[in-house]
Amino acid sequence: MAAAGRLRRRLFLAVPWCGCCSPHRGAAGCPSAGQVRAAFLRFFQERHGHHRLPSAPVRPRGDPRLLFVNAGMNQFKPIFLGTVHPRSELAQHRRVVNSQKCVRAGGKHNDLEDVGRDTYHHTFFEMLGNWSFGDYFKEEACSMAWELLTEVYEIPRDRLYVTYFGGDPYLGLSADEECRDIWLRLGVPASHVLPFPMKDNFWEMGDTGPCGPCTEIHYDHVGGGRNAAALVNQGSPDVVEIWNLVFMQYSREVEGNLLPLPQHHVDTGMGLERLVTVLQNKRSNYDTDLFTPILDAIHKGYRGPRYQGLVGDADVGHVNMAYRVVADHVRTLCVCITDGIYPGLSGAELVLRRILRRAVRFCAEVFRAPPGFLASLVPTVVEVLGDAYPELTKNADQIMDLINENEGAFLSSLERGRRIIERTVQQMEPSANFPAEVAWSLYGNLGFPLDLIDLMLEEKGISLDSAAFNKLALEDAKRKAGGPQAGRVEDTNTCLDVHSLAQLQSSNMPATDDSPKYAYALGQHGQYEFSPCQATVLMLYRDQSLRKEVGAGQRCGVILDRTNFYAEQGGQASDQGYMIRLGQQDILFPVESVRLCGGYVVHEVTAVETLRAGDQVQLFVDEAQRLACMTNHTATHLLNFALRHVLGDNTEQRGSHVTAERLRFDFDAKGPVTVEQLQQVEQVVQDVIKRNEVVHMAEVPLTLARRVQGLRAVDEGYPDPVRIVSLGVPVESVLTCDSEAAMQTSVELCCGTHLLQTGAMEDLAIISERQLVKGISRVIAVTGGQAKQAREVGQCLAMEVDSVSLRMKQRSTSIPEMQNLSKEVGQLTKVVASTAMPQWQRKELQTILKALQRTANTAIKKLEVQQAEEKAQSVLAKHCNQPVIIDTVPADSLSILMKVVNQLCDKSPGTSVLLLSPQASGEVFCACQVSKNCLPAFSAADWAVAVCAQMEGKAGGSPVVAKGSGNAKGMQGALNTALEFAQSKL
């Protein structure tokens, strides 16, 4: 016991607590959340030799199926799947510990709507975890967990219950008696060691992949010597799970069967919030010091009742629910925005927008807080979490700005939505349901919360057509499911499964040497020469199994001992080309794609003849495609540098993709990039191209590379040693201590293939720039001949716009001529919007065209008014002082005819007018207006309908004005009908 006490003091009391200097200390005598977190990390790091890793960002890396990182294990998936690159940092770890930022909102794990209704759901939480990758297993994992909980945290043993997997006869899995016996040996009473079925104690990563039994540790909040075994896993708030230890020892196959994993792993997760609740003697996470400072800040701004922890009917006015919602959501917003997820219109960004808007609603509707209240809580969140996650402190101002901007947009949308609902209700028939189409538009386009729509309609005694709304939602879900990502299945011929990878490694199959992909040089005349590569087929892969032979016509993955093909990674598309078997020059095996998997480069090939392991092959890369990718990849680095140079050093890369056709680059931006900035960026790039700078590349140790000042690196795993790409400055120079050379040029960590000199790029044109979400912009650029073509097209369109401008200035007095000019402007606007051309020029032309369209519309309207006035004078002279005017008038459009009617009624206020205008096409326009003195007996809409019906046409309008059209054959009868109708109403 003395040893245990010393251990506790060293690990736990290393951070001052119990009323000392910590600004976030818990209740008197209880550790703060910061101390609890630190003790966990120190225990595994110092006591059990774990490597401490920082939290990964909550934006998932390389996993499009996840909206957010929702568990500590997400960043370690490549290890569990066996696909981790053997030279990467990740592959070197055997024991790891960290505190991972997690978000569960949207997707499979969605706690959003539950947050606030109870006292334990959250959208953001911290997951404390320790991992073993092929090192220790059940015995050590259970022992460490028990030691930490009972000796360091000093949780009473009689309050802890452990569960284990009780087996599954259907799958032929016996109970995990090994785990049960470990707990019994550790001194846990048999009455506290409980078996549970698959749904409680068997963890799976997904429908397929690594999985295994787990053991959970539960805590009884009541205690007092009672036996609470019957309450474990029963949803009781008194007995809660605090730690889950997963033993990954199986792999779930596509067919549903389980196979033993070649290597066993341990993955544990313990929610910090629940643990702190236990250690601070609270019953709710919201009563701990992770939340109380935020709740106090809310109360300070709210000036209403303090937070009391009430739920359900006891929570009058939902005040306590609002406290919980706002406190939780502002934490989530801070973490997500810091990690590069901004409120937006799809995916994780859409979920974050809903979180922000939900918080804003509670601030506005429950707290009656002014705009800006939510953002004012950010400094408190930073104070609570900033020590553990320093990136929050760095981004505090940006977080507040984004919250305020999005809050303003939402409040504006709410006001628009309320007006739309009011107008729609006024136009509805009594006892009708509110139209689903309008509700769906409010929900989808304005982001109007569905429950708020229901609430506003309920106040008016109106119901939403729920069945029709649900149908629209289902159609939308189907449409999204049928999008570009739909149905995309991992290629079973290039993505090696965990068993095949283990089989290759256990048979000492060497990883593919892909260094020949860098074997190219400039020839005597400046052309690129790619060295040939000869290789041996090590193994073939088809339908998730390794094969020695694949028959003709079959698609398969080919694993070679060496290759000059570039496998898709680092945002660069894979090479294409072909291979031939030595001695068979006339038989080509096309290589369609290439993937790197666990150090093995897998070439996707359709075998035109039987392929066998041991075959000698020669590889031929599609040189034109490779050179285009090299050009665009070097251009991407140069663009990154130019954007930082023009927009500022805070411009961080958010993603990129390079193909032979174009390059895409995403980056932080406070707003749209201006025309001048786009021109400056292109100029910076062109200056480097003209200088024909040498592109220096070298492999260096990762630790050394990361010391380079001004180094650009994205959030991804890099191999060690890592490749540095430096434009114009030798790698040795940028590695020199205190060198600032990397601040003046592009220096990046990159495994891609690049030009050897920048001059081969010839040119770069940014052909698109738009904001993906608030704060993140995307540019698309082309190089070489495509850039030249884009500039030529831009010049041609600029000349066309100049021509229209010149003709517009001549101010034609002909309405048809002006209408043709207006039409031409509209067509040019569409062409400019959709054609590949420099984006700065597109923006300039769009501004000019917008002004020209306004000028044309104004001129047409002015000419129509002049023409209408002349015709009105003529008609008025013909029908002087008549109560009703019915006549035919020549007019080029229905718009002009309507203006003639308006002019007549303005000049003769007591007169009702109906005019017909026959057209050369055989159509007849009809326009009418009824004097207000004749309402309501005389309706313009009814008048126009009766007249147009005589011409087999249609009409519509209001009681005062209406218009329509019909066929010229019935015009005389229509004139008679017009007169008879008017006489019957007057």
Side-chain angles (χ1 to χ4, degrees):
M1 290 303 292
R6 286 195 300 274
L7 171 67
R8 182 176 193 273
R9 282 192 295 274
R10 189 171 77 249
L11 295 176
F12 206 5
L13 307 184
V15 185
W17 66 290
C18 198
C20 304
C21 61
S22 171
H24 317 306
R25 61 182 182 270
C30 296
S32 71
Q35 291 160 344
V36 173
R37 186 194 297 111
F40 181 92
L41 298 171
R42 288 168 65 92
F43 173 79
F44 284 101
Q45 187 178 9
E46 297 179 8
R47 177 77 169 171
H48 293 289
H50 287 59
H51 181 77
R52 178 176 172 180
L53 287 180
S55 170
V58 293
R59 177 185 286 280
R61 178 198 295 164
D63 192 343
R65 291 164 294 191
L66 275 182
L67 291 173
F68 304 95
V69 165
N70 56 25
M73 54 74 61
N74 289 159
Q75 65 175 310
F76 305 119
K77 273 187 181 181
I79 296 179
F80 301 139
L81 295 170
T83 58
V84 65
H85 194 289
R87 286 200 295 123
S88 69
E89 280 184 296
L90 203 57
Q92 313 312 314
H93 300 312
R94 291 292 172 265
R95 298 181 175 206
V96 166
V97 64
N98 87 337
S99 177
Q100 174 62 47
K101 298 175 289 187
C102 298
V103 174
R104 288 188 179 172
K108 178 182 174 184
H109 299 286
N110 185 3
D111 291 346
L112 179 55
E113 293 305 319
D114 293 321
V115 171
R117 301 182 192 280
D118 53 42
T119 61
Y120 50 85
H121 273 99
H122 304 292
T123 51
F124 165 72
F125 64 97
E126 295 177 68
M127 184 74 85
L128 302 172
N130 61 290
W131 289 267
S132 164
F133 306 124
D135 189 353
Y136 61 81
F137 203 44
K138 297 180 184 179
E139 181 92 40
E140 297 89 336
C142 295
S143 177
M144 291 175 196
W146 194 248
E147 179 185 11
L148 176 65
L149 293 179
T150 61
E151 296 182 19
V152 176
Y153 291 140
E154 293 187 343
I155 296 175
R157 296 168 184 242
D158 63 349
R159 290 199 179 199
L160 296 175
Y161 295 79
V162 295
T163 66
Y164 66 94
F165 178 52
D168 189 297
Y170 176 74
L171 287 170
L173 294 175
S174 57
D176 191 357
E177 295 177 356
E178 177 190 3
C179 179
R180 178 200 63 190
D181 294 344
I182 290 168
W183 288 118
L184 293 174
R185 287 198 299 273
L186 286 169
V188 183
S191 60
H192 285 219
V193 182
L194 313 169
F196 280 90
M198 200 143 185
K199 71 179 182 69
D200 296 307
N201 278 79
F202 196 91
W203 187 91
E204 304 198 50
M205 186 186 293
D207 295 333
T208 61
C211 56
C214 62
T215 181
E216 295 177 342
I217 303 174
H218 296 249
Y219 175 78
D220 177 15
H221 277 285
V222 177
R226 70 170 185 165
N227 187 323
L231 297 177
V232 172
N233 277 338
Q234 299 304 308
S236 168
D238 294 336
V239 181
V240 296
E241 174 209 334
I242 57 172
W243 205 345
N244 186 11
L245 285 63
V246 179
F247 307 123
M248 292 196 191
Q249 60 188 90
Y250 300 107
S251 174
R252 172 82 69 181
E253 301 303 294
V254 175
E255 299 79 14
N257 58 310
L258 296 175
L259 294 178
L261 275 175
Q263 198 175 47
H264 291 174
H265 308 294
V266 173
D267 162 22
T268 86
M270 176 159 55
L272 175 68
E273 291 77 8
R274 282 193 183 182
L275 178 62
V276 172
T277 300
V278 169
L279 296 179
Q280 292 183 358
N281 297 316
K282 305 295 183 182
R283 293 300 298 274
S284 162
N285 299 349
Y286 290 94
D287 293 333
T288 68
D289 64 337
L290 285 166
F291 288 92
T292 50
I294 305 171
L295 296 171
D296 289 344
I298 294 171
H299 174 252
K300 187 176 178 182
Y302 168 39
R303 301 183 185 281
R306 281 188 171 276
Y307 175 69
Q308 298 171 285
L310 302 175
V311 296
D313 294 338
D315 182 20
V316 179
H318 302 301
V319 171
N320 288 264
M321 180 180 177
Y323 267 107
R324 290 187 290 268
V325 166
V326 174
D328 172 89
H329 288 8
V330 74
R331 284 171 24 116
T332 305
L333 288 164
C334 287
V335 169
C336 287
I337 291 171
T338 293
D339 285 351
I341 302 175
Y342 303 153
L345 297 176
S346 64
E349 286 78 9
L350 176 59
V351 175
L352 195 65
R353 185 176 82 155
R354 287 176 179 158
I355 289 172
L356 184 144
R357 292 184 166 197
R358 190 168 185 251
V360 168
R361 278 184 56 212
F362 276 95
C363 287
E365 294 171 12
V366 178
F367 296 143
R368 305 292 178 190
F373 176 69
L374 184 62
S376 73
L377 303 175
V378 170
T380 306
V381 176
V382 172
E383 192 181 347
V384 173
L385 296 174
D387 289 345
Y389 309 108
E391 60 271 21
L392 287 168
T393 306
K394 178 183 171 186
N395 290 283
D397 289 342
Q398 181 197 20
I399 297 167
M400 293 175 71
D401 288 346
L402 274 167
I403 289 175
N404 281 330
E405 286 175 18
N406 279 274
E407 179 182 37
F410 178 48
L411 293 175
S412 173
S413 295
L414 281 181
E415 190 52 43
R416 282 182 62 197
R418 286 192 176 95
R419 289 200 300 269
I420 290 169
I421 290 174
E422 292 286 351
R423 188 168 65 246
T424 305
V425 169
Q426 287 172 8
Q427 295 172 355
M428 283 170 51
E429 296 289 333
S431 74
N433 282 335
F434 191 81
E437 296 80 7
V438 177
W440 180 254
S441 177
L442 288 169
Y443 176 72
N445 298 330
L446 290 184
F448 211 85
L450 190 55
D451 59 340
L452 187 57
I453 295 173
D454 285 334
L455 186 65
M456 292 180 68
L457 295 179
E458 187 181 320
E459 290 170 355
K460 298 177 184 298
I462 297 170
S463 299
L464 173 63
D465 187 345
S466 299
F469 184 91
N470 292 336
K471 185 181 176 184
L472 289 171
L474 188 62
E475 288 171 358
D476 182 67
K478 285 180 180 177
R479 186 172 65 254
K480 287 176 179 173
Q485 299 295 324
R488 284 183 60 179
V489 180
E490 293 256 298
D491 196 305
T492 56
N493 292 327
T494 56
C495 187
L496 299 176
D497 67 283
V498 66
H499 302 291
S500 298
L501 279 164
Q503 190 178 333
L504 290 170
Q505 290 156 1
S506 63
S507 61
N508 295 318
M509 190 76 72
T512 307
D513 173 15
D514 63 352
S515 59
K517 68 188 178 188
Y518 299 125
Y520 50 89
L522 284 173
Q524 188 176 355
H525 303 292
Q527 79 282 10
Y528 277 81
E529 296 177 347
F530 296 87
S531 301
C533 181
Q534 190 172 314
T536 302
V537 177
L538 297 179
M539 194 63 70
L540 301 162
Y541 185 70
R542 177 174 166 78
D543 296 335
Q544 291 194 303
S545 68
L546 295 171
R547 304 187 178 197
K548 294 282 187 181
E549 182 178 302
V550 168
Q554 293 188 321
R555 204 181 186 92
C556 67
V558 180
I559 303 169
L560 304 171
D561 63 337
R562 62 199 306 267
T563 184
N564 59 349
F565 277 77
Y566 183 84
E568 181 169 0
Q569 56 183 320
Q572 180 178 328
S574 74
D575 281 337
Q576 293 176 335
Y578 63 93
M579 60 177 71
I580 61 171
R581 202 160 23 207
L582 291 185
Q584 292 181 315
Q585 307 296 321
D586 55 341
I587 300 175
L588 308 183
F589 294 85
V591 177
E592 297 166 28
S593 67
V594 189
R595 175 175 285 187
L596 181 65
C597 206
Y600 299 99
V601 178
V602 187
H603 307 69
E604 186 179 19
V605 168
T606 299
V608 292
E609 279 197 358
T610 301
L611 262 177
R612 296 180 180 87
D615 281 350
Q616 300 290 302
V617 293
Q618 191 154 6
L619 308 175
F620 295 88
V621 168
D622 181 332
E623 294 182 4
Q625 191 230 11
R626 160 68 81 83
L627 184 56
C629 282
M630 288 163 52
T631 301
N632 287 341
H633 204 150
T634 304
T636 303
H637 284 217
L638 193 42
L639 182 62
N640 188 3
F641 168 72
L643 285 165
R644 288 169 69 100
H645 182 79
V646 173
L647 302 180
D649 288 337
N650 291 331
T651 307
E652 294 288 346
Q653 178 177 346
R654 288 294 181 184
S656 67
H657 190 243
V658 174
T659 66
E661 292 74 32
R662 56 180 52 189
L663 63 97
R664 187 195 77 211
F665 191 81
D666 301 342
F667 59 97
D668 288 337
K670 289 189 175 179
V673 186
T674 66
V675 166
E676 294 74 19
Q677 287 170 333
L678 286 167
Q679 290 174 316
Q680 289 168 20
V681 168
E682 285 191 2
Q683 191 59 55
V684 170
V685 173
Q686 285 158 6
D687 288 345
V688 179
I689 292 172
K690 286 174 186 172
R691 293 199 300 268
N692 198 20
E693 299 277 17
V694 174
V695 181
H696 300 273
M697 292 167 273
E699 281 197 346
V700 300
L702 189 55
T703 52
L704 188 61
R706 283 190 166 146
R707 294 179 196 157
V708 174
Q709 291 189 52
L711 177 77
R712 258 74 79 195
V714 293
D715 175 45
E716 62 178 50
Y718 291 99
D720 190 8
V722 68
R723 195 171 175 81
I724 286 185
V725 178
S726 173
L727 301 190
V729 180
V731 173
E732 310 84 69
S733 299
V734 300
L735 290 173
T736 305
C737 187
D738 298 328
S739 169
E740 294 188 0
M743 309 288 283
Q744 313 304 322
T745 187
S746 167
V747 181
E748 297 194 29
L749 302 183
C750 183
C751 61
T753 56
H754 288 269
L755 295 174
L756 300 175
Q757 290 181 258
T758 59
M761 207 180 301
E762 297 178 4
D763 192 6
L764 177 140
I766 297 170
I767 60 171
S768 171
E769 183 275 329
R770 65 185 180 91
Q771 281 205 299
L772 294 179
V773 294
K774 196 78 174 174
I776 297 181
S777 281
R778 167 172 290 176
V779 294
I780 293 173
V782 291
T783 58
Q786 284 181 287
K788 182 182 178 184
Q789 185 180 0
R791 294 193 191 284
E792 289 172 353
V793 169
Q795 287 303 313
C796 289
L797 286 172
M799 289 170 66
E800 288 189 46
V801 172
D802 286 344
S803 170
V804 174
S805 295
L806 194 62
R807 282 177 283 149
M808 194 77 75
K809 287 174 183 174
Q810 293 170 356
R811 298 283 180 177
S812 170
T813 56
S814 163
I815 290 177
E817 278 185 26
M818 287 307 298
Q819 286 174 332
N820 286 337
L821 270 177
S822 176
K823 191 175 180 181
E824 196 175 334
V825 170
Q827 290 169 341
L828 261 177
T829 300
K830 289 179 182 177
V831 172
V832 166
S834 61
T835 302
M837 63 185 294
Q839 179 69 6
W840 64 264
Q841 193 171 30
R842 188 195 320 278
K843 285 189 171 187
E844 279 190 348
L845 295 183
Q846 285 174 329
T847 301
I848 295 168
L849 287 166
K850 196 172 181 180
L852 288 175
Q853 193 69 70
R854 281 198 302 269
T855 301
N857 292 345
T858 303
I860 291 167
K861 190 174 181 181
K862 190 174 180 181
L863 289 170
E864 285 182 347
V865 169
Q866 288 174 354
Q867 195 178 101
E869 194 166 349
E870 292 168 5
K871 293 180 186 298
Q873 290 286 6
S874 173
V875 172
L876 202 58
K878 184 178 175 183
H879 302 276
C880 189
N881 298 322
Q882 297 293 320
V884 177
I885 296 176
I886 298 168
D887 207 339
T888 59
V889 173
D892 292 331
S893 68
L894 184 56
S895 172
I896 294 173
L897 188 66
M898 197 74 242
K899 286 182 173 65
V900 176
V901 170
N902 297 152
Q903 292 267 5
L904 284 168
C905 292
D906 287 345
K907 294 176 187 297
S908 181
T911 303
S912 297
V913 181
L914 184 144
L915 299 179
L916 300 180
S917 179
Q919 303 296 300
S921 63
E923 188 180 17
V924 176
F925 295 146
C926 170
C928 65
Q929 183 171 331
V930 169
S931 170
K932 291 182 181 178
N933 300 333
C934 302
L935 297 175
F938 196 179
S939 164
D942 294 344
W943 198 11
V945 167
V947 169
C948 290
Q950 280 293 318
M951 300 186 292
E952 299 178 348
K954 292 182 179 180
S958 69
V960 178
V961 292
K963 57 188 176 182
S965 63
N967 195 304
K969 290 178 182 178
M971 191 170 75
Q972 190 55 51
L975 289 169
N976 295 334
T977 299
L979 182 60
E980 290 168 6
F981 187 94
Q983 289 172 342
S984 70
K985 300 296 181 183
L986 292 174

